[in-house]
Amino acid sequence: MTYQPKVVRCRLKMGGKSIEEIRARYTGQGMTYRDFEDIQRANEQFDGLVVLLSLWDWDNYESYHLHNWEPTDDERMMKAIYYSEQVHPYTIYKNDFERFRLDWKAGNYEPPGVLNFDPADVEEIEVICEEVKRQEAPPPSSPPRHSRGKKKRKGRKKK
């Protein structure tokens, strides 16, 4: 069995943060005032959405990772992710919402990474599935039976 993260239905609580609060959270990351504005815009779009988030062993469960959302929330997710993209160092959609929107609608958008959410911004509603860690197969109860004897070949004689 392979690893399966814990998946939780959650409500995002991200709105209402001032630029000063956002700046304090991201101190030392080389962001500009415009980056803080984009984070604030993304937060406002995410705020109140009910989404599926996953928790992973590999990061010690320190943040929630976006797993999925309801199709009815697709427009808000598109805008929230666009504003989040503006802050990413490797975005290909810098200040180009129309191209982003067209790629999103055509199903051609490829995110540069996984969106993470701080536990302080998440209200858990319901656990969808529990974490499952890889389990090693138990040793067999008895050794397998193999034929170790030589088989005689019929119809062939040694010269």
Side-chain angles (χ1 to χ4, degrees):
M1 179 178 291
T2 59
Y3 180 81
Q4 173 182 306
K6 180 178 182 180
V7 178
V8 185
R9 183 180 322 282
C10 301
R11 182 176 324 282
L12 299 175
K13 305 180 302 176
M14 302 180 68
K17 292 183 176 95
S18 69
I19 295 292
E20 292 74 28
E21 291 171 304
I22 295 167
R23 181 191 314 252
R25 182 171 177 181
Y26 295 100
T27 297
Q29 295 190 26
M31 294 183 169
T32 65
Y33 190 84
R34 171 114 182 174
D35 292 332
F36 300 137
E37 289 177 326
D38 284 327
I39 291 169
Q40 189 178 48
R41 287 182 188 105
N43 287 351
E44 293 302 322
Q45 292 297 320
F46 283 128
D47 191 49
L49 288 177
V50 174
V51 296
L52 296 183
L53 302 176
S54 56
L55 287 164
W56 292 76
D57 180 1
W58 64 264
D59 73 348
N60 297 316
Y61 317 102
E62 290 178 6
S63 63
Y64 289 83
H65 305 265
L66 183 60
H67 187 73
N68 208 345
W69 61 88
E70 292 294 327
T72 55
D73 295 325
D74 200 58
E75 190 74 20
R76 280 185 61 194
M77 287 300 294
M78 176 186 67
K79 290 176 183 175
I81 291 173
Y82 170 76
Y83 291 125
S84 297
E85 274 263 339
Q86 299 307 295
V87 184
H88 194 280
Y90 303 112
T91 184
I92 61 170
Y93 299 100
K94 194 70 170 174
N95 301 319
D96 193 352
F97 179 72
E98 188 56 26
R99 188 167 65 113
F100 177 86
R101 188 185 69 74
L102 290 172
D103 281 352
W104 180 279
K105 296 290 185 187
N108 296 329
Y109 170 69
E110 262 318 303
V114 176
L115 280 171
N116 296 325
F117 298 94
D118 189 289
D121 296 332
V122 172
E123 172 191 349
E124 287 193 9
I125 298 171
E126 170 190 18
V127 174
I128 302 299
C129 66
E130 292 291 346
E131 176 184 44
V132 176
K133 293 186 178 184
R134 183 181 178 114
Q135 297 175 358
E136 297 299 323
S141 56
S142 62
R145 304 177 110 213
H146 296 289
S147 175
R148 299 207 186 268
K150 291 186 175 182
K151 293 183 180 180
K152 292 184 178 179
R153 294 184 184 167
K154 291 185 180 180
R156 189 170 183 203
K157 295 181 184 180
K158 287 187 174 181
K159 292 185 183 182

